[in-house]
Amino acid sequence: MDSDGRRKFLGVCLAGTAAAAAVAAGYPVFRFMAPRSGATGLQKLVISAADLQEGEAKFFEYGGSSAVLVKTKGGEMIALSAVCTHLGCIVQWVKEQQHFLCPCHGGQFATDGTVLGGPPPRPLAKIPVTVTGGNITIG
Ligand code: FES
């Protein structure tokens, strides 16, 4: 490769690097300005109300994390993060006692996410839920 060829090759490499840097710098701006679909800024999920009976819980992925929808024995729908606020383990639903139990250190949460006992410092984070007709919309 002569010096002219090297210069052209170097120019192509620099242009590629500059283009990659521009894309990397612009992505956060794009994410910030992109339309969002839910109150939480996350994709909405729709579940059929018939899929959940009173006193039961259904776990699902929401925003890249574990979440849970509970239908209380009174018929209220509550969606919560299933990530324990102590050290981040995933809580389990204890149907017989109608509460959540964290398997890691025994933290307990009520159906509305409030702490009943154990080391968790805060309630489980709530996720907006709306019920229209036969559908439950989460997010
Ligand atoms: S991580 Fe849940 S109680 Fe410790």
Side-chain angles (χ1 to χ4, degrees):
M1 193 181 291
D2 63 353
S3 68
D4 207 34
R6 271 189 232 124
R7 228 176 269 127
K8 282 182 183 169
F9 176 74
L10 185 61
V12 168
C13 289
L14 287 174
T17 303
V23 169
Y27 183 73
V29 174
F30 168 76
R31 285 294 304 144
F32 178 76
M33 296 182 74
R36 298 190 177 168
S37 51
T40 58
L42 299 171
Q43 199 69 30
K44 289 185 179 191
L45 269 181
V46 179
I47 297 174
S48 170
D51 287 350
L52 196 61
Q53 302 305 310
E54 287 190 4
E56 291 187 345
K58 188 179 187 77
F59 286 79
F60 57 96
E61 284 292 312
Y62 184 74
S65 187
S66 190
V68 62
L69 176 68
V70 183
K71 186 173 186 179
T72 67
K73 288 199 169 176
E76 185 184 4
M77 297 286 189
I78 301 169
L80 303 164
S81 164
V83 179
C84 179
T85 57
H86 181 222
L87 294 177
C89 292
I90 304 303
V91 298
Q92 299 169 341
W93 176 241
V94 184
K95 186 178 176 183
E96 300 74 33
Q97 295 168 8
Q98 294 290 297
H99 72 221
F100 294 99
L101 175 66
C102 180
C104 293
H105 310 102
Q108 295 170 24
F109 300 89
T111 52
D112 66 354
T114 55
V115 178
L116 296 175
R122 292 178 311 282
L124 296 173
K126 285 198 174 182
I127 301 169
V129 177
T130 51
V131 182
T132 41
N135 289 328
I136 305 162
T137 304
I138 299 164

